[in-house]
Amino acid sequence: MSEEEKEPKLVIDSDWKEQVQKEKEQEASKSDEQQPATASDAPADASAGPAGGGPPEASFTVLVSMLFTQAMTLLGQMPGPDGKMETNKPLAKHTIDTLEMLQSKTEGNLEDDEKQVLSEALHALRMTFVGVKS
């Protein structure tokens, strides 16, 4: 066997990204249906909201996405803020452990889509973790 055949292949499921986008669209349509927008409802600074480039609305899914991105960066799958690809498995493990703790503490209190996003994120991180060499 050649060296390429011996090395495990990494497959990352990106369906969770599509699910997050669908949730955001559903949430936006729910809020539009509940309160019709008027000129007085618009924020004074349009850049303060998600559409204006500000931070996204706080949600469980956004929290999971942030921790997922952090762990993937620590596993060397994404460049860090400095643009470098670095691996820090102990800190990545801590982030994965944090998501596992979050899963156990929220058991029975999550909506189905939130539970699925968390489960898929943890699965992808675990598979990536075992595939990354120290």
Side-chain angles (χ1 to χ4, degrees):
M1 288 177 105
S2 71
E3 196 170 312
E4 287 181 17
E5 293 172 349
K6 291 179 184 177
E7 196 163 324
K9 300 211 184 238
L10 176 64
V11 179
I12 299 175
D13 182 11
S14 61
D15 288 345
W16 67 271
K17 293 177 185 177
E18 294 172 10
Q19 181 65 28
V20 171
Q21 185 62 32
K22 288 178 186 175
E23 289 174 13
K24 287 180 184 178
E25 291 169 1
Q26 290 173 348
E27 194 65 34
S29 67
K30 283 182 187 176
S31 64
D32 288 346
E33 291 172 5
Q34 292 173 353
Q35 291 183 332
T38 64
S40 62
D41 291 339
D45 179 10
S47 66
E57 184 177 326
S59 72
F60 185 81
T61 304
V62 169
L63 175 63
V64 171
S65 296
M66 289 183 342
L67 291 169
F68 176 84
T69 302
Q70 178 181 352
M72 290 300 271
T73 302
L74 292 166
L75 290 170
Q77 304 301 303
M78 299 177 177
D82 58 359
K84 295 180 183 175
M85 300 282 278
E86 297 179 14
T87 303
N88 185 337
K89 281 187 85 172
L91 196 51
K93 182 180 181 329
H94 173 72
T95 305
I96 294 168
D97 290 345
T98 300
L99 279 167
E100 289 173 343
M101 178 272 307
L102 191 60
Q103 184 179 45
S104 69
K105 294 287 187 179
T106 59
E107 191 171 341
N109 293 315
L110 297 177
E111 295 178 9
D112 289 340
D113 55 337
E114 294 170 331
K115 185 176 178 181
Q116 182 179 357
V117 167
L118 180 55
S119 177
E120 289 177 3
L122 277 168
H123 176 74
L125 289 171
R126 289 174 183 141
M127 294 297 107
T128 304
F129 185 87
V130 298
V132 170
K133 296 180 181 177
S134 297

